Amino acid sequence: MHMMEISFPTRIQVNLSFSPCPPRYWHSHGRPTTRTKLLVKMESSSVVSSPTSFSASGYFNQTVGGQSPSKSLDKIPNTKRRRVFFLDVNPLCYAGSTPSLRSFGHWVSLFFDEVSLNDPVIAVVDGEGGSEHRRRLLPSYKAHRWKFLRNPSKGHVGRSHQIISDFLSKCNVPLVRIGGHEADDVVATLVDQVLQKGHKVVIASPDKDFKQLLSEDVQIVMPLVELKRWSFYTLKHYMSQYNCDPCSDLSLRCMLGDEVDGVPGIQHVVPEFGRKTALKLLKKHGSLENLLNTAAVRTVGKQYAQDALTKYADYLRRNYQVLALRKDVNVQLQDEWLVKRDSKNDSASLSGFFNMLEETKNLSRHTISNT
């Protein structure tokens, strides 16, 4: 059994003031100079809910190929379109492979100032033991990774988690952490709930796992280290890059594997089976499950591909179970998370965050010099 811990602002008092034009979608070409302001007075609180349970049944049915129904909510009449951002905290806490709170501060500063502005932001971190059910299926899954925020109750990691939690609270950003679940699964579950309320979603993360969620109403914004900025990645970008629908992304990754997450692709056992073959077969059959079911009863391609799909069907289905984002996490979207974010504390909070890091660095140097 796992506990669910959620920190979010409560006691909301809303004051509206209008300037000549409402918020516009920020893009790398520029940002709006005027926008509607929504001032929200909040006090921080912490909520601990009942234990969550894990169900391992029906991955193919749960994820529908890792994709929510693709029909755009723009077609629903009288729907107020609002962007809700999800901030994937863990990967931002690294500079390369080195844990770094300064990296987190840098990217969040740009994110608030140039991307999310006053739109609602929901931050999510990995829960303790979140990778364990996938490791039981595939021991190599993320085996080489040290989770920066894996156990927020011990030593340096615990202090880092508290620092991030306190900072986000000051910036009026709820932080969600569910024991026994990875942040990716929590985001996927909450994304569906946001879409059901008629809003659009933007996921702020460098994690390619989220490509399986792309649709007309779900976008990704990625931190580009080489360009020192965030960049939006949309359904149109995906179609241009891969020349196939995002609903096939999960199936493609199951076949090609994911070296970063320690998931081997079929080319490790059948070297001839590469990206070109995988894309060709998926374009014709639509999904991994359709392809495997068809290959079981008739020939679907060249002999090496046919032999691979029949001999290693279980291998590929296991990859699917590992890589598919779950949408059944026991977490409920709160209405308080969907209000415009009050950003008036951002500057002071960021300044205090970086000052604290500098003081900690100087203290460490002083301690070392005296030993």
Side-chain angles (χ1 to χ4, degrees):
M1 300 179 73
H2 303 282
M3 297 300 292
M4 175 171 68
E5 176 187 333
I6 306 175
S7 299
F8 58 92
T10 58
R11 300 182 188 176
I12 305 173
Q13 178 181 337
V14 180
N15 298 303
L16 287 170
S17 64
F18 295 91
S19 49
C21 65
R24 297 198 302 268
Y25 197 98
W26 176 87
H27 192 266
S28 59
H29 297 299
R31 51 179 293 193
T33 56
T34 57
R35 58 181 182 271
T36 303
K37 296 180 180 178
L38 177 62
L39 304 180
V40 186
K41 184 178 181 181
M42 302 180 178
E43 296 180 12
S44 285
S45 65
S46 180
V47 173
V48 178
S49 120
S50 58
T52 61
S53 60
F54 170 74
S55 171
S57 63
Y59 270 82
F60 281 99
N61 293 330
Q62 287 172 6
T63 60
V64 195
Q67 175 93 356
S68 300
S70 59
K71 182 178 179 181
S72 173
L73 291 171
D74 284 325
K75 300 176 183 177
I76 299 177
N78 300 322
T79 298
K80 184 179 180 181
R81 309 299 285 143
R82 172 184 294 172
R83 293 184 308 167
V84 177
F85 285 86
F86 285 92
L87 183 66
D88 185 14
V89 172
N90 288 77
L92 301 181
C93 295
Y94 288 85
S97 60
T98 304
S100 171
L101 283 175
R102 186 169 294 278
S103 173
F104 168 79
H106 166 75
W107 287 112
V108 170
S109 175
L110 290 177
F111 176 72
F112 286 160
D113 188 51
E114 300 178 342
V115 182
S116 66
L117 305 177
N118 296 112
D119 284 329
V121 178
I122 303 169
V124 185
V125 297
D126 288 337
E128 184 175 354
S131 302
E132 292 310 309
H133 67 278
R134 288 183 168 97
R135 282 212 186 97
R136 286 194 290 270
L137 292 167
L138 182 63
S140 63
Y141 178 73
K142 293 186 178 180
H144 62 290
R145 289 193 185 183
W146 175 71
K147 285 292 185 184
F148 192 43
L149 303 176
R150 177 180 289 170
N151 188 341
S153 62
K154 296 183 179 180
H156 173 68
V157 179
R159 290 191 296 273
S160 299
H161 179 273
Q162 191 59 51
I163 289 169
I164 289 174
S165 179
D166 291 345
F167 166 73
L168 291 173
S169 178
K170 292 175 183 176
C171 294
N172 298 307
V173 174
L175 179 64
V176 183
R177 177 179 173 270
I178 311 296
H181 293 282
E182 294 186 75
D184 298 6
D185 297 324
V186 177
V187 170
T189 301
L190 290 173
V191 162
D192 269 7
Q193 296 178 29
V194 171
L195 293 176
Q196 289 168 15
K197 288 184 175 289
H199 303 307
K200 291 195 173 188
V201 169
V202 182
I203 303 169
S205 174
D207 194 337
K208 58 184 174 294
D209 290 346
F210 290 119
K211 288 183 179 180
Q212 62 190 269
L213 301 180
L214 281 169
S215 72
E216 292 180 27
D217 297 302
V218 179
Q219 300 179 343
I220 300 172
V221 61
M222 301 177 175
L224 300 183
V225 176
E226 62 276 12
L227 298 179
K228 300 180 180 179
R229 66 172 176 85
W230 291 86
S231 180
F232 281 91
Y233 188 88
T234 67
L235 177 62
K236 185 180 294 186
H237 291 117
Y238 185 93
M239 297 287 286
S240 175
Q241 182 178 2
Y242 295 104
N243 195 28
C244 68
D245 193 272
C247 64
S248 300
D249 182 75
L250 176 58
S251 296
L252 179 63
R253 291 181 59 228
C254 291
M255 298 171 76
L256 300 181
D258 187 330
E259 291 186 7
V260 174
D261 285 346
V263 180
I266 197 169
Q267 68 272 18
H268 286 266
V269 289
V270 183
E272 303 95 328
F273 204 122
R275 175 179 293 271
K276 184 177 179 180
T277 300
L279 279 171
K280 181 179 179 180
L281 291 171
L282 287 174
K283 277 186 180 181
K284 183 176 181 179
H285 297 277
S287 70
L288 176 63
E289 187 65 5
N290 287 343
L291 175 59
L292 294 177
N293 289 338
T294 304
V297 296
R298 64 178 177 83
T299 301
V300 296
K302 293 183 178 180
Q303 194 60 46
Y304 74 87
Q306 179 68 24
D307 292 344
L309 292 171
T310 53
K311 183 177 181 179
Y312 297 104
D314 290 342
Y315 178 102
L316 293 170
R317 286 190 171 99
R318 180 209 59 192
N319 280 2
Y320 192 102
Q321 293 181 46
V322 171
L323 292 173
L325 297 183
R326 300 185 62 87
K327 299 183 180 181
D328 61 349
V329 178
N330 185 15
V331 59
Q332 187 61 44
L333 184 72
Q334 305 295 313
D335 289 338
E336 296 95 323
W337 302 349
L338 301 178
V339 300
K340 289 285 186 178
R341 189 179 68 85
D342 182 358
S343 60
K344 67 176 182 293
N345 294 330
D346 288 2
S347 180
S349 299
L350 283 163
S351 178
F353 181 83
F354 286 114
N355 287 340
M356 178 275 302
L357 293 181
E358 193 62 31
E359 290 172 2
T360 302
K361 182 179 179 180
N362 291 336
L363 180 61
S364 297
R365 287 175 177 173
H366 180 73
T367 302
I368 293 173
S369 65
N370 289 335
T371 56

